[in-house]
Amino acid sequence: MTLQAELRVHRDGFTLELDLVVEQGEVVALLGPNGAGKTTALRALAGLLPGSRVTADGSSWDGLPTEKRPVGVVFQDYLLFATMSVLDNVAFGLRARGARKAEADAAALRWLTRVGLAEFAKARPRTLSGGQAQRVALARALATSPELLLLDEPLAALDASTRLRLRSELGRHLRDYPGHTLLITHDPLDAMVLADRLVIVENGRVVQQGTPREVVRQPRTDYVAHLVGLNFYRGVADGTEVRLDGGGTLTVAEPARGPVHVVFAPSAVSLFTERPAGSPRNTWRAVVAGVEQHAHTTRVDLDGSPAVFADVTTATVAELRLRPGDPLWVSLKATEIHTYAR
Amino acid sequence: MRRALAVAALLLAGCGSPAATGPTKITVFAAASLTEAFTTLGERFEAANPRIEVVFSFAGSSALARQINQGAPADVFASAAPANMEQVTGTGAVTAAPVTFARNTLQIAVPKGNPAGITGIGDFGRAGLKIALCAEQVPCGAAAAEVFEAAGVTAAPDTVEQDVKAVLAKVSLGEVDAALVYRTDVRSGKDVEGLDFAEAAQAVNDYPIAPLAKASDAATAQAFVDHVLSPEGREVLTAAGFAAP
Amino acid sequence: MRSRLPVVLVLPAVVGLAFLLVPLVGLLVEAPWGTLPAQLLSAEVGQALRLSLVCASLATLVCLVLGVPLAWLLARGDLPGRGVLRALVTVPLVLPPVVGGVALLLVLGRRGLAGQYLDQWFGISLPFTTTGVVLAEAFVAMPFLVISVEGALRAADPRYEEAAATLGASRWLTFRRVTLPGVMPGVVAGTVLCWARALGEFGATITFAGNFPGETTTMPLAVYLALETDPDAAIVLSIVLLLVSVGVLAGLRDRWIRA
C-alpha cells in the first residue's frame, strides 16, 4: 500500500511543489536547509494548510479536515498539553476518536510502558526532561495507530548525548511501526540513520532523492555535497580530462564524456609547501582561506583553481604551520575522484 | 520629561481659577428642578450686568448641601426643600436669612396620550399598572408620601428612583404608566403629560434661596438673589411652572 | 542575590498604592463603628447584600456563558472587520453606565425595539425586575471578561490547538480540553474583574431596573439613597460591600490562582 501526495502551497511569495510517495513501512526523510518548505509540507499533509492532494491506499484525503485524517504528528517542540497528565496526553487522541476512558487509559499506559515512561503516567509534562517529553510525544502520536506518522525535527531540541541515545531508540520504534513515516530534518545524520530514503528539498522543490547511500555517493547540489561533506563540482568530461565550470581541470581515472558532477573526499587531498616530487597529474597552487578544527581532523579551506576543502591531521597542521594567506601546493590522486553524469 | 511636566502644569492651570483680569464670577448651587428656569435667569442677569459671569452647578439639593458643608466654592444656594437649606444654615454658612422664592406642587405624570387611562391619584393603588415614584429619602418622594396619606391611597410602586429626573425619564420612555413628579418637571419633560389632582395642595414644596458666607463677592451674590426675587425673576419662574410663594 | 529594587519603580508603586487605599482609609475612619453591628443585622442591609451577591454572580455566569465564546471568536475567528468588532465590545466600558441603562431600556424596555414583542407575545417585562438587574450588570461587566479572556487566547500558542486536531479532536473538544484549560488564569482574572464590576454597578442598574427593595435595590443603590438622608448609614453600607467583596475575591484568589 502506497501513500501519494501532491503538495501545492502558494503563500507569501513562497511556492511549495512537492510530489511524495511513501511506501507502507517506509521511513522517508525530508531533508533540506531552513526555509526550504519542509514544515510547510508537513502541515499540508496534516491538513493544516489547504490546497494539496493526498491519496493513501487508494482513498483520497482531499477535503478532509485535520481531525479526520489518520495522521500522527510529533512536533518539533512536542506541544504536550501542559494542563493534562502525561497519561491523559497519550490517551487524548484515542478519547477524541471515541474510545471509552478506561480503554483509552489502558492503551495509553501500554504505550508509555513501551517508551519506558510508565512511572510518569500521572506527572505533568512540564516536569519531564526533554528526552522524556520527546518519547511522550511519540507515544501520543502513535497511540491512535495513524496511517501516516509525521515527525518534525524530532531530535532537534535535545542535547547531544540525549540525542544520540534517542536517535537509536526512535529508529527502533520506527522499524516497529507498520505505517508510512515522513521524517523532517535538517540534520543529515538523523536522516541517514533513521530513513530508508531521502528526499532533498530546496526552495520548495525536490532537488534529489534516493537511498542514503546513493545520495552520499552522488550528491547533485552544493547543499547536499556540503551536507555529506564532499568537494563537489560541475564540469564537462572529455575522456579522463574534466574541465570544471568554475575553472581548473582535473584528471580522473574512469573516462567519461559530456556534463558530469565531480566529487572527492576532503581527506583525499594532500597539501605541500613545495611542489611535490614525482608530480602527480592533479597538482595545483592554492592559498589558505581558512582553518577550522573538527573533532579529529582539521579542515582547510583553500582558494585556487579549483577551490577545495582538505581534511588534514593535526600533525600536518603543526608541520605546515597553516595560516590564512599561506601559499600551498594541492595534490589529488586521479583514483580518488568520482564522476557521474549530470 | 521637562516638556511633559510643563504641559501638565499648563493643563492644570487651564482647569483651575480664571484669569485675574476677567469678569467677576459667581457660582450658584441650585436644585436640579431649577435647571431650566435658572439657566434663563442667569442669561438675563449676565445681559443686565456685563461684567458678571454666572456659573451654575445643578444637582440634588442634599448633595449640594453636603458639598457646601464640605467647602465647595459656592456663592449662592437655591434648594428644593427647606430641610436641605437648614443643613447649610445650621453650620452658619449663609449670610442672610433664606427667602422662599418659589413653590412647587406635585402633578401626575403620564406618557403622552395616557395609554393606561390614568384619571387620578387613586390609580396609584391599582394592580397591574407600572408606577414610578421618588425614593422617600429625596424631597419629591417625601412629598408623594404626604399626598398618598392625605388621599388614603396605598401606592404600589415598581420602582423608587433616586431623583425626580430619573422618574421623569421612565415616564418619557413609556416604561411606567404613571408617576408623581413636580409640575415644573412635567413642563420640561418630553412626551409627558401632566394631570392635576386635589391632594397636591397637601404637599407644597418651598424653594428657599440664600447667599453664602464664603461668597467671594457678597454684593454680587446678593444681587443675583435679588434678581431671582424681582418681578422679572417671578415671570421666568412662573413660565417654568413654579407658583409664587 | 538580586540587587535592591529600583527607586524609579518603587516610588510610583507606593504612591499608586496609597492613591488606591487612602479613600478606603477615609471610609474606615469616618465609619460610625458604634452603630455598625445594628446596621449590619438590619433586614434591609441583609436583603440588599443578598440581592447584590446573587445578581452579581448570575451576571457573571451570563458573562461567562456568552463572553468566553465571544472572546474565542474575536481571538481565533477568521472574521472580516475583527478590529472594529473588538472595539465595539469595549463600548460599555466607555459608555456612562446611565446611558447604558437608557440604551437597554430603548431595546428591552416595554416600548423598546425588542422589549415590545417580549411584552406582547410572552408577557415578559424586564425593567423593574431582578432579571433586569442581572442584565444591566452583565451589560456593563461583560467587556472586562471578554478583554481578559481574549488577551489570554491571543497570547496562547495556537499550535496546541493544531496538535489536538492532528490527534482527531473536533474544534469543540479542542476548545474544552486544550484551549480553555490553557487560558484558565485569564478566564479567572476576567471572572473576578467581571464579578467585582457587577457588584459595584449602579448607573445602568438604577436606570434600567429601577430601585425597589428586595427586587432591584442592590447595595450600591442602597448606598446612594442612604447618602441622601443618612451619610453614616451610607458609609456602613459601603464598608459592608467592601468587606464582603474583598473577602470573596481573596478567597477565590487563594483557591484559583495557585491552581
Side-chain angles (χ1 to χ4, degrees), chain B residues 60-63 66 84 87 111-112 115 128-132 135-139 156-163 169-177, chain C residues 98 101-102 104-106 108-112 125 127-129 202 205-213 215-217 222 224-231:
Chain B
S61 299
S62 62
R66 195 162 56 241
N84 298 127
Q87 286 176 16
K112 199 172 172 184
L129 287 183
K130 293 277 185 201
I131 305 289
E136 289 195 18
Q137 291 93 329
V138 296
D158 292 275
T159 177
V160 288
E161 301 281 327
Q162 81 274 22
D163 62 47
K170 300 283 196 293
V171 181
S172 296
L173 289 167
E175 288 303 328
V176 294
D177 301 310
Chain C
V98 176
V102 171
L104 284 174
L105 277 179
L106 291 175
L108 296 172
R110 204 160 58 149
R111 293 190 183 170
S125 175
F128 318 124
T129 61
F202 170 77
T205 308
I206 197 160
T207 307
F208 181 61
N211 173 56
F212 194 79
E215 290 258 350
T216 62
T217 304
Y224 187 86
L225 285 170
L227 213 49
E228 290 290 326
T229 47
D230 186 359

Side-chain angles (χ1 to χ4, degrees), chain A residues 2-271:
Chain A
T2 308
L3 185 136
Q4 284 176 304
E6 291 172 30
L7 307 180
R8 300 284 181 275
V9 181
H10 308 273
R11 47 173 216 177
D12 305 335
F14 177 79
T15 301
L16 177 78
E17 284 187 21
L18 205 59
D19 291 347
L20 281 175
V21 177
V22 186
E23 300 297 334
Q24 180 101 42
E26 191 186 26
V27 178
V28 172
L30 207 55
L31 188 65
N34 285 333
K38 305 187 299 284
T39 298
T40 305
L42 176 141
R43 292 171 58 79
L45 281 166
L48 295 169
L49 290 175
S52 297
R53 308 175 65 87
V54 181
T55 346
D57 304 349
S59 70
S60 169
W61 292 4
D62 298 355
L64 282 188
T66 301
E67 62 265 27
K68 299 260 195 271
R69 295 192 176 199
V71 296
V73 185
V74 175
F75 293 90
Q76 183 169 1
D77 38 5
Y78 317 134
L79 300 179
L80 297 178
F81 306 130
T83 52
M84 296 179 204
S85 71
V86 165
L87 186 77
D88 287 346
N89 262 278
V90 179
F92 184 85
L94 293 165
R95 294 282 287 146
R97 291 185 152 101
R100 280 199 311 271
K101 178 154 174 50
E103 211 177 292
D105 283 356
L109 195 60
R110 279 198 302 279
W111 271 104
L112 282 177
T113 311
R114 266 175 88 165
V115 298
L117 290 172
E119 72 265 40
F120 290 93
K122 287 203 169 62
R124 292 275 156 168
R126 89 173 79 88
T127 63
L128 300 178
S129 71
Q132 289 166 340
Q134 195 266 358
R135 287 184 289 176
V136 173
L138 182 67
R140 185 176 72 170
L142 287 173
T144 57
S145 310
E147 283 179 37
L148 172 62
L149 178 65
L150 297 164
L151 304 144
D152 190 1
E153 305 276 5
L155 302 166
L158 303 172
D159 63 70
S161 66
T162 315
R163 192 176 179 140
L164 192 66
R165 189 159 44 79
L166 279 195
R167 187 182 290 129
S168 62
E169 193 182 315
L170 179 60
R172 211 171 61 241
H173 289 299
L174 291 184
R175 275 192 297 281
D176 291 346
Y177 168 65
H180 313 80
T181 303
L182 187 71
L183 167 73
I184 280 172
T185 182
H186 69 275
D187 182 331
L189 193 54
D190 288 350
M192 307 288 172
V193 171
L194 296 171
D196 302 314
R197 194 153 53 81
L198 309 186
V199 174
I200 291 146
V201 196
E202 287 179 54
N203 297 319
R205 283 164 203 280
V206 176
V207 293
Q208 187 172 2
Q209 52 183 318
T211 62
R213 189 181 167 79
E214 285 163 3
V215 171
V216 167
R217 288 170 59 91
Q218 303 197 342
R220 297 204 166 267
T221 70
D222 292 327
Y223 166 73
V224 181
H226 181 76
L227 270 188
V228 299
L230 292 177
N231 284 298
F232 174 79
Y233 310 91
R234 291 179 184 83
V236 179
D238 184 10
T240 55
E241 292 289 309
V242 179
R243 203 152 21 80
L244 303 180
D245 293 358
T249 305
L250 290 175
T251 303
V252 298
E254 292 165 26
R257 204 155 291 280
V260 289
H261 289 303
V262 179
V263 292
F264 53 87
S267 56
V269 179
S270 308
L271 301 180

Side-chain angles (χ1 to χ4, degrees), chain B residues 4-230:
Chain B
L5 281 176
V7 168
L10 258 173
L11 286 172
L12 285 172
C15 58
S17 52
T21 55
T24 310
K25 195 177 90 175
I26 61 165
T27 304
V28 177
F29 275 28
S33 50
L34 292 168
T35 306
E36 290 81 12
F38 266 39
T39 305
T40 309
L41 279 173
E43 280 162 12
R44 294 196 181 181
F45 186 67
E46 281 175 355
N49 303 279
R51 298 220 20 97
I52 299 175
E53 186 192 346
V54 187
V55 178
F56 290 106
S57 172
F58 295 110
S61 299
S62 62
L64 291 174
R66 195 162 56 241
Q67 288 170 13
I68 290 167
N69 284 339
Q70 280 167 3
D75 301 300
V76 175
F77 179 35
S79 166
N84 298 127
M85 183 58 86
E86 278 156 25
Q87 286 176 16
V88 176
T89 52
T91 61
V94 299
T95 44
V99 183
T100 300
F101 66 96
R103 291 213 158 107
N104 211 349
T105 48
L106 293 176
Q107 223 181 8
I108 298 171
V110 295
K112 199 172 172 184
N114 193 3
I118 304 293
T119 54
I121 193 79
D123 288 326
F124 281 78
R126 225 168 86 193
L129 287 183
K130 293 277 185 201
I131 305 289
L133 296 175
C134 288
E136 289 195 18
Q137 291 93 329
V138 296
C140 64
E146 285 175 42
V147 165
F148 286 124
E149 197 183 355
V153 173
T154 308
D158 292 275
T159 177
V160 288
E161 301 281 327
Q162 81 274 22
D163 62 47
V164 69
K165 297 287 181 198
V167 173
L168 199 67
K170 300 283 196 293
V171 181
S172 296
L173 289 167
E175 288 303 328
V176 294
D177 301 310
L180 275 192
V181 297
Y182 289 115
R183 175 182 298 275
T184 54
D185 298 312
V186 173
R187 184 120 2 147
S188 68
K190 194 169 153 285
D191 297 333
V192 178
E193 290 173 13
L195 303 176
D196 283 316
F197 61 103
E199 291 83 355
Q202 298 298 319
V204 176
N205 211 34
D206 290 341
Y207 280 58
I209 189 168
L212 296 171
K214 278 209 227 150
S216 50
D217 184 343
T220 309
Q222 187 58 52
F224 182 79
V225 172
D226 292 343
H227 176 65
V228 170
L229 295 168
S230 71

Side-chain angles (χ1 to χ4, degrees), chain C residues 63-75 145 149 153 172 175:
Chain C
C63 290
L64 276 169
V65 169
L66 304 179
V68 171
L70 175 57
W72 177 82
L73 197 68
L74 289 177
L145 183 88
V149 176
L153 279 170
W172 170 231
F175 176 77

